[in-house]
Coordinates of all heavy atoms in Angstrom, one line a residue:
F8 N 66.4 120.4 116.5 CA 65.6 119.7 115.5 C 66.4 118.5 115.0 O 65.8 117.7 114.3 CB 65.4 120.6 114.3 CG 64.7 121.8 114.6 CD1 65.3 123.1 114.6 CD2 63.4 121.8 115.1 CE1 64.6 124.2 114.9 CE2 62.7 122.9 115.4 CZ 63.3 124.1 115.3
G9 N 67.6 118.4 115.3 CA 68.4 117.2 114.8 C 68.6 117.2 113.3 O 68.7 116.1 112.7
G10 N 68.5 118.3 112.7 CA 68.7 118.4 111.2 C 67.5 118.1 110.4 O 67.5 118.0 109.2
L11 N 66.3 117.9 111.1 CA 65.1 117.6 110.4 C 64.5 118.9 109.7 O 64.7 120.0 110.2 CB 64.0 117.1 111.4 CG 64.3 115.7 112.0 CD1 63.2 115.4 113.0 CD2 64.3 114.7 110.9
D12 N 63.8 118.7 108.6 CA 63.1 119.7 107.9 C 61.9 120.1 108.8 O 61.3 119.2 109.5 CB 62.7 119.2 106.6 CG 61.9 120.3 105.8 OD1 62.6 121.2 105.2 OD2 60.7 120.2 105.7
I13 N 61.4 121.3 108.8 CA 60.3 121.7 109.6 C 59.0 120.8 109.3 O 58.2 120.6 110.2 CB 59.9 123.2 109.4 CG1 58.9 123.7 110.4 CG2 59.4 123.5 108.0 CD1 59.4 124.0 111.7
H14 N 58.9 120.4 108.1 CA 57.7 119.6 107.7 C 57.8 118.1 108.3 O 56.8 117.4 108.3 CB 57.5 119.5 106.2 CG 57.3 120.9 105.7 ND1 56.3 121.8 106.1 CD2 58.0 121.6 104.7 CE1 56.4 122.9 105.4 NE2 57.4 122.8 104.6
E15 N 59.0 117.7 108.7 CA 59.1 116.4 109.3 C 58.9 116.4 110.8 O 58.8 115.3 111.4 CB 60.6 115.9 109.0 CG 60.9 115.7 107.6 CD 62.3 115.3 107.3 OE1 62.9 114.7 108.2 OE2 62.9 115.8 106.3
L16 N 58.7 117.5 111.4 CA 58.4 117.6 112.9 C 57.0 117.1 113.2 O 56.1 117.4 112.5 CB 58.7 119.0 113.4 CG 60.1 119.6 113.3 CD1 60.1 121.0 113.8 CD2 61.1 118.7 114.0
S17 N 56.9 116.4 114.3 CA 55.6 116.0 114.8 C 54.8 117.1 115.4 O 55.4 118.2 115.7 CB 55.7 114.9 115.8 OG 56.3 115.4 117.0
A18 N 53.5 116.9 115.6 CA 52.7 117.9 116.2 C 53.2 118.3 117.6 O 53.2 119.4 118.0 CB 51.2 117.4 116.3
D19 N 53.7 117.3 118.4 CA 54.3 117.5 119.7 C 55.5 118.4 119.6 O 55.8 119.3 120.4 CB 54.6 116.2 120.4 CG 53.4 115.5 120.8 OD1 52.3 116.1 121.0 OD2 53.5 114.2 121.0
D20 N 56.4 118.1 118.6 CA 57.6 118.9 118.4 C 57.2 120.4 118.1 O 57.8 121.3 118.6 CB 58.4 118.4 117.2 CG 59.0 117.0 117.5 OD1 59.2 116.7 118.7 OD2 59.4 116.3 116.6
L21 N 56.2 120.6 117.2 CA 55.8 122.0 116.9 C 55.2 122.7 118.1 O 55.4 123.9 118.3 CB 54.7 121.9 115.8 CG 55.3 121.6 114.4 CD1 54.1 121.4 113.4 CD2 56.3 122.6 113.9
E22 N 54.5 121.9 119.0 CA 53.9 122.5 120.2 C 55.1 123.0 121.2 O 55.0 124.0 121.7 CB 53.0 121.5 121.0 CG 51.7 121.4 120.3 CD 50.9 122.6 120.3 OE1 50.9 123.4 121.3 OE2 50.2 122.9 119.3
A23 N 56.1 122.1 121.3 CA 57.2 122.5 122.1 C 58.0 123.7 121.6 O 58.4 124.6 122.3 CB 58.2 121.3 122.2
L24 N 58.1 123.7 120.3 CA 58.8 124.9 119.6 C 57.9 126.1 119.8 O 58.5 127.2 120.1 CB 59.0 124.6 118.1 CG 59.7 125.6 117.3 CD1 61.1 125.8 117.9 CD2 59.8 125.2 115.9
A25 N 56.6 126.0 119.7 CA 55.7 127.2 119.8 C 55.8 127.8 121.3 O 55.6 129.0 121.5 CB 54.3 126.8 119.5
A26 N 56.1 126.9 122.2 CA 56.2 127.4 123.6 C 57.5 128.2 123.8 O 57.6 129.0 124.8 CB 56.2 126.2 124.6
E27 N 58.5 128.1 122.9 CA 59.8 128.7 123.1 C 60.0 130.0 122.2 O 60.8 130.8 122.6 CB 60.9 127.7 122.7 CG 60.9 126.5 123.6 CD 61.2 126.8 125.1 OE1 62.1 127.7 125.3 OE2 60.7 126.2 126.0
I28 N 59.3 130.0 121.1 CA 59.5 131.2 120.2 C 58.2 131.8 119.8 O 57.2 131.1 119.9 CB 60.3 130.7 118.9 CG1 59.6 129.7 118.1 CG2 61.7 130.2 119.3 CD1 60.2 129.4 116.8
P29 N 58.2 133.0 119.3 CA 56.9 133.7 118.8 C 56.3 132.8 117.7 O 57.0 132.3 116.9 CB 57.4 135.0 118.3 CG 58.7 135.3 118.9 CD 59.3 133.9 119.1
T30 N 55.0 132.7 117.8 CA 54.2 132.0 116.8 C 53.2 132.9 116.1 O 52.5 133.6 116.8 CB 53.5 130.8 117.5 OG1 54.5 130.0 118.1 CG2 52.8 129.9 116.5
I31 N 53.1 132.8 114.8 CA 52.2 133.6 114.0 C 51.4 132.6 113.2 O 51.8 131.6 112.7 CB 53.0 134.5 113.0 CG1 53.9 135.4 113.8 CG2 52.1 135.3 112.1 CD1 53.3 136.4 114.7
H32 N 50.1 133.0 112.9 CA 49.2 132.1 112.2 C 49.4 132.3 110.7 O 49.9 133.3 110.2 CB 47.7 132.5 112.5 CG 47.3 132.1 113.8 ND1 47.1 130.8 114.2 CD2 47.1 132.8 115.0 CE1 46.8 130.7 115.5 NE2 46.8 132.0 116.0
L33 N 49.2 131.2 110.0 CA 49.3 131.2 108.5 C 48.4 132.2 107.9 O 47.4 132.7 108.4 CB 48.9 129.8 108.0 CG 49.8 128.6 108.3 CD1 49.1 127.3 107.9 CD2 51.1 128.8 107.6
G34 N 48.7 132.6 106.6 CA 47.8 133.5 105.8 C 48.3 134.9 105.7 O 47.9 135.6 104.7
G35 N 49.1 135.4 106.6 CA 49.7 136.7 106.4 C 50.9 136.7 105.5 O 51.4 135.7 105.2
T36 N 51.4 137.9 105.2 CA 52.6 138.0 104.5 C 53.8 137.9 105.4 O 53.7 138.0 106.6 CB 52.7 139.3 103.7 OG1 52.8 140.4 104.7 CG2 51.5 139.6 102.8
L37 N 55.0 137.7 104.8 CA 56.2 137.6 105.6 C 56.5 138.9 106.3 O 56.8 138.8 107.5 CB 57.4 137.2 104.7 CG 58.7 137.0 105.3 CD1 58.7 135.9 106.4 CD2 59.7 136.5 104.3
V38 N 56.3 140.0 105.7 CA 56.5 141.3 106.3 C 55.5 141.5 107.5 O 56.0 141.8 108.6 CB 56.3 142.5 105.3 CG1 56.2 143.8 106.0 CG2 57.4 142.5 104.3
E39 N 54.3 141.1 107.3 CA 53.3 141.2 108.4 C 53.7 140.3 109.6 O 53.6 140.7 110.7 CB 51.9 140.8 107.9 CG 51.3 141.8 107.0 CD 50.0 141.3 106.3 OE1 49.8 140.0 106.3 OE2 49.3 142.1 105.7
S40 N 54.2 139.1 109.3 CA 54.6 138.2 110.3 C 55.8 138.7 111.1 O 55.8 138.6 112.3 CB 55.0 136.8 109.7 OG 53.9 136.3 109.0
L41 N 56.8 139.3 110.4 CA 57.9 139.8 111.1 C 57.5 141.0 112.1 O 58.0 141.0 113.2 CB 59.0 140.4 110.1 CG 59.6 139.3 109.2 CD1 60.4 140.0 108.1 CD2 60.6 138.4 110.1
V42 N 56.6 141.8 111.6 CA 56.2 142.9 112.5 C 55.3 142.4 113.6 O 55.5 142.8 114.8 CB 55.4 144.0 111.6 CG1 54.8 145.0 112.5 CG2 56.3 144.6 110.6
A43 N 54.4 141.5 113.4 CA 53.5 141.0 114.4 C 54.3 140.2 115.5 O 53.9 140.3 116.6 CB 52.5 140.0 113.8
A44 N 55.3 139.6 115.1 CA 56.1 138.8 116.1 C 57.1 139.7 116.8 O 57.8 139.3 117.8 CB 56.9 137.7 115.4
G45 N 57.3 141.0 116.4 CA 58.2 141.9 117.1 C 59.6 141.8 116.6 O 60.5 142.4 117.2
V46 N 59.8 141.0 115.5 CA 61.2 140.9 115.0 C 61.6 142.2 114.2 O 62.8 142.5 114.2 CB 61.3 139.6 114.1 CG1 62.6 139.5 113.4 CG2 61.1 138.4 115.0
A47 N 60.6 142.8 113.7 CA 60.8 144.1 113.0 C 59.8 145.1 113.6 O 58.7 144.7 113.9 CB 60.6 144.0 111.5
S48 N 60.3 146.3 113.7 CA 59.4 147.4 114.4 C 58.4 148.0 113.4 O 57.5 148.6 113.9 CB 60.3 148.4 115.0 OG 61.1 149.1 114.0
S49 N 58.6 147.8 112.1 CA 57.7 148.4 111.1 C 57.8 147.6 109.8 O 58.7 146.8 109.6 CB 58.1 149.9 110.8 OG 59.3 149.9 110.2
N50 N 56.8 147.9 109.0 CA 56.8 147.2 107.6 C 58.1 147.6 106.9 O 58.6 146.8 106.1 CB 55.6 147.6 106.8 CG 54.3 146.9 107.4 OD1 54.4 146.1 108.2 ND2 53.2 147.3 106.8
G51 N 58.4 148.9 107.0 CA 59.6 149.4 106.3 C 60.9 148.7 106.7 O 61.7 148.3 105.9
E52 N 61.0 148.5 108.0 CA 62.2 147.7 108.6 C 62.2 146.3 108.1 O 63.2 145.8 107.7 CB 62.2 147.8 110.1 CG 63.4 147.0 110.6 CD 63.5 146.9 112.1 OE1 62.5 147.4 112.8 OE2 64.4 146.3 112.6
A53 N 61.0 145.6 108.1 CA 60.9 144.3 107.6 C 61.3 144.2 106.1 O 62.0 143.2 105.7 CB 59.5 143.8 107.8
K54 N 60.9 145.1 105.3 CA 61.2 145.1 103.9 C 62.7 145.3 103.7 O 63.3 144.7 102.9 CB 60.4 146.2 103.2 CG 59.0 145.8 103.0 CD 58.2 147.0 102.4 CE 56.7 146.6 102.4 NZ 55.9 147.7 101.9
R55 N 63.3 146.2 104.5 CA 64.8 146.4 104.5 C 65.5 145.1 104.9 O 66.6 144.8 104.3 CB 65.2 147.6 105.3 CG 64.9 148.9 104.7 CD 65.5 150.1 105.5 NE 64.9 150.2 106.9 CZ 63.8 150.9 107.1 NH1 63.1 151.4 106.1 NH2 63.4 151.0 108.4
L56 N 65.0 144.4 105.9 CA 65.7 143.2 106.3 C 65.6 142.1 105.2 O 66.6 141.4 104.9 CB 65.0 142.6 107.5 CG 65.2 143.3 108.9 CD1 64.2 142.9 109.9 CD2 66.6 143.2 109.3
L57 N 64.5 142.1 104.5 CA 64.3 141.1 103.4 C 65.3 141.5 102.3 O 66.0 140.7 101.7 CB 62.9 141.2 102.8 CG 61.9 140.4 103.6 CD1 60.5 140.7 103.1 CD2 62.1 138.9 103.5
A58 N 65.4 142.8 101.9 CA 66.2 143.3 100.8 C 67.7 143.0 101.2 O 68.5 142.8 100.3 CB 66.0 144.7 100.5
G59 N 68.0 143.1 102.5 CA 69.4 143.0 102.9 C 69.9 141.5 103.1 O 71.0 141.3 103.5
G60 N 69.0 140.6 102.9 CA 69.3 139.2 103.0 C 69.4 138.7 104.4 O 70.0 137.7 104.7
A61 N 68.7 139.4 105.4 CA 68.8 139.0 106.8 C 67.7 138.0 107.2 O 67.7 137.5 108.3 CB 68.7 140.2 107.7
I62 N 66.8 137.6 106.2 CA 65.7 136.7 106.6 C 65.8 135.4 105.8 O 66.1 135.4 104.6 CB 64.3 137.4 106.2 CG1 64.2 138.8 106.9 CG2 63.2 136.5 106.5 CD1 64.2 138.7 108.4
S63 N 65.6 134.3 106.5 CA 65.5 133.0 105.8 C 64.2 132.3 106.3 O 63.7 132.5 107.4 CB 66.7 132.2 106.1 OG 66.8 131.9 107.5
V64 N 63.7 131.5 105.3 CA 62.5 130.7 105.6 C 62.8 129.3 105.4 O 63.3 128.9 104.3 CB 61.3 131.2 104.7 CG1 60.1 130.3 105.0 CG2 60.9 132.6 105.0
N65 N 62.7 128.5 106.4 CA 63.1 127.1 106.4 C 64.5 126.9 105.8 O 64.8 126.0 105.0 CB 62.1 126.3 105.5 CG 60.7 126.3 106.1 OD1 60.6 126.4 107.3 ND2 59.7 126.1 105.3
G66 N 65.4 127.7 106.3 CA 66.8 127.6 105.9 C 67.2 128.2 104.6 O 68.4 128.2 104.3
E67 N 66.3 128.8 103.9 CA 66.7 129.4 102.6 C 66.5 130.9 102.7 O 65.4 131.4 103.1 CB 65.8 128.8 101.5 CG 66.1 127.4 101.2 CD 65.3 126.8 100.1 OE1 65.0 127.6 99.2 OE2 65.0 125.6 100.1
K68 N 67.5 131.7 102.2 CA 67.4 133.1 102.2 C 66.2 133.6 101.3 O 66.1 133.0 100.2 CB 68.7 133.8 101.7 CG 69.8 133.6 102.7 CD 69.8 134.5 103.8 CE 71.1 134.3 104.6 NZ 71.1 135.1 105.8
V69 N 65.5 134.6 101.7 CA 64.4 135.1 100.9 C 64.6 136.6 100.8 O 65.1 137.3 101.7 CB 63.0 134.8 101.4 CG1 62.7 133.3 101.3 CG2 62.8 135.3 102.8
A70 N 64.3 137.2 99.6 CA 64.5 138.6 99.4 C 63.2 139.4 99.1 O 63.2 140.6 99.0 CB 65.5 138.9 98.3
E71 N 62.1 138.6 98.9 CA 60.8 139.2 98.6 C 59.7 138.8 99.5 O 59.7 137.7 100.0 CB 60.5 138.8 97.1 CG 61.4 139.4 96.1 CD 61.0 139.1 94.7 OE1 59.8 138.6 94.5 OE2 61.8 139.3 93.8
D72 N 58.8 139.7 99.7 CA 57.6 139.4 100.6 C 56.7 138.4 99.9 O 56.6 138.4 98.6 CB 56.9 140.7 100.8 CG 55.9 140.6 102.0 OD1 55.9 139.6 102.7 OD2 55.0 141.4 102.1
D73 N 56.2 137.5 100.6 CA 55.2 136.5 100.1 C 54.3 136.1 101.2 O 54.5 136.2 102.3 CB 56.0 135.3 99.6 CG 55.2 134.4 98.6 OD1 54.1 134.8 98.2 OD2 55.8 133.3 98.2
T74 N 53.1 135.5 100.8 CA 52.1 135.0 101.7 C 52.6 133.7 102.3 O 53.1 132.9 101.7 CB 50.8 134.8 101.0 OG1 50.4 136.0 100.4 CG2 49.7 134.4 102.0
M75 N 52.5 133.6 103.6 CA 52.9 132.4 104.4 C 51.7 131.4 104.5 O 50.9 131.6 105.3 CB 53.4 132.8 105.8 CG 54.4 133.9 105.8 SD 56.0 133.4 105.0 CE 56.5 132.2 106.2
N76 N 51.7 130.5 103.5 CA 50.6 129.5 103.4 C 51.0 128.1 104.0 O 50.1 127.3 104.1 CB 50.2 129.4 102.0 CG 49.5 130.6 101.5 OD1 48.7 131.3 102.2 ND2 49.8 131.0 100.3
D77 N 52.2 127.9 104.3 CA 52.7 126.6 104.8 C 53.4 126.8 106.2 O 53.9 127.9 106.4 CB 53.6 125.9 103.9 CG 52.9 125.5 102.6 OD1 51.8 125.1 102.6 OD2 53.6 125.7 101.5
V78 N 53.4 125.7 107.0 CA 54.2 125.8 108.2 C 55.6 126.1 107.9 O 56.2 125.6 106.9 CB 54.1 124.4 108.9 CG1 55.0 124.4 110.1 CG2 52.7 124.1 109.3
A79 N 56.2 127.1 108.6 CA 57.5 127.5 108.3 C 58.2 128.0 109.5 O 57.6 128.4 110.5 CB 57.5 128.7 107.3
L80 N 59.6 127.9 109.5 CA 60.4 128.5 110.5 C 61.1 129.7 109.9 O 61.9 129.5 108.9 CB 61.4 127.5 111.0 CG 62.2 127.9 112.2 CD1 61.4 128.3 113.4 CD2 63.3 126.9 112.6
V81 N 60.8 130.9 110.4 CA 61.4 132.1 109.8 C 62.6 132.5 110.8 O 62.4 132.5 112.0 CB 60.4 133.2 109.7 CG1 61.0 134.5 109.2 CG2 59.2 132.8 108.8
K82 N 63.7 132.9 110.2 CA 64.9 133.3 111.0 C 65.4 134.6 110.5 O 65.5 134.9 109.4 CB 66.0 132.2 110.8 CG 67.2 132.5 111.6 CD 68.2 131.4 111.3 CE 69.5 131.7 112.0 NZ 70.6 130.7 111.7
K83 N 65.6 135.5 111.5 CA 66.2 136.8 111.3 C 67.6 136.8 112.0 O 67.7 136.5 113.2 CB 65.4 137.9 111.9 CG 66.1 139.3 111.8 CD 65.4 140.3 112.7 CE 66.4 141.4 113.0 NZ 66.1 142.1 114.2
G84 N 68.6 137.0 111.2 CA 70.0 137.0 111.7 C 70.3 135.6 112.3 O 70.0 134.6 111.7
K85 N 71.0 135.6 113.5 CA 71.4 134.4 114.0 C 70.5 133.8 115.1 O 70.4 132.6 115.2 CB 72.8 134.6 114.7 CG 73.9 134.8 113.7 CD 75.2 134.8 114.5 CE 76.4 134.9 113.5 NZ 77.7 134.8 114.1
N86 N 69.8 134.6 115.8 CA 69.1 134.1 117.0 C 67.6 134.5 117.1 O 67.0 134.2 118.2 CB 69.8 134.6 118.3 CG 71.2 134.0 118.4 OD1 71.4 132.9 118.1 ND2 72.1 134.9 118.7
N87 N 67.0 135.1 116.1 CA 65.6 135.4 116.2 C 64.8 134.5 115.3 O 65.0 134.5 114.0 CB 65.4 136.9 115.7 CG 66.0 137.8 116.8 OD1 65.7 137.8 117.9 ND2 66.8 138.7 116.3
F88 N 63.9 133.8 115.9 CA 63.1 132.8 115.1 C 61.6 133.1 115.3 O 61.2 133.6 116.3 CB 63.3 131.4 115.6 CG 64.7 130.9 115.3 CD1 65.7 131.1 116.2 CD2 65.0 130.3 114.1 CE1 67.0 130.6 116.0 CE2 66.2 129.8 113.8 CZ 67.3 130.0 114.8
I89 N 60.8 132.7 114.3 CA 59.3 132.8 114.3 C 58.8 131.5 113.7 O 59.3 131.1 112.7 CB 58.8 134.0 113.4 CG1 59.4 135.3 113.8 CG2 57.2 134.0 113.5 CD1 59.1 136.4 112.8
L90 N 57.8 130.9 114.4 CA 57.2 129.8 113.9 C 55.8 130.2 113.2 O 55.1 130.9 113.9 CB 56.9 128.7 115.0 CG 56.1 127.5 114.6 CD1 56.9 126.7 113.6 CD2 55.8 126.7 115.8
V91 N 55.6 129.9 112.0 CA 54.4 130.2 111.3 C 53.6 128.9 111.1 O 54.1 127.9 110.5 CB 54.7 130.8 109.9 CG1 53.4 131.1 109.2 CG2 55.6 132.0 110.0
R92 N 52.4 128.8 111.7 CA 51.6 127.6 111.6 C 50.1 128.0 111.8 O 49.8 129.1 112.1 CB 52.0 126.6 112.7 CG 51.8 127.1 114.1 CD 52.2 126.0 115.1 NE 51.7 126.3 116.4 CZ 51.3 125.5 117.3 NH1 51.5 124.2 117.0 NH2 50.9 125.8 118.4
S93 N 49.3 127.0 111.6 CA 47.8 127.2 111.7 C 47.4 127.3 113.2 O 48.1 126.9 114.1 CB 47.1 126.1 111.1 OG 47.4 124.8 111.6

């Protein structure tokens, strides 16, 4: 990304990223997105990951479930990413 914010990426950049990592559609909750992408095996595990500080959205740690209404890059740990987009 070269240090760019996710919102600064072009449509072509997002397409290239979507080809490399799991992609989830907007509108679901963060917990639902983690489970749908296979990053968490269950809603309970996803909630524990959130509570434990293992999840960040666009580079910021999150501790509570919320609806994903904007394009976002979700990260679990060091190497697991999910792209949330329309």
Side-chain angles (χ1 to χ4, degrees):
F8 303 114
L11 293 177
D12 182 79
I13 188 80
H14 301 302
E15 296 176 32
L16 297 178
S17 69
D19 289 339
D20 292 337
L21 289 174
E22 284 299 322
L24 186 58
E27 299 294 324
I28 63 174
T30 303
I31 301 298
H32 290 287
L33 293 171
T36 66
L37 183 54
V38 167
E39 292 168 346
S40 297
L41 292 169
V42 173
V46 173
S48 60
S49 66
N50 288 353
E52 180 185 1
K54 290 175 185 175
R55 284 189 293 279
L56 289 168
L57 283 169
I62 305 297
S63 63
V64 177
N65 296 332
E67 295 185 25
K68 295 279 184 184
V69 293
E71 295 183 14
D72 193 16
D73 199 6
T74 302
M75 305 297 293
N76 291 321
D77 293 319
V78 173
L80 186 63
V81 179
K82 181 179 176 186
K83 172 195 158 201
K85 289 187 175 185
N86 297 316
N87 292 306
F88 293 91
I89 304 167
L90 177 62
V91 181
R92 68 180 192 148
S93 56

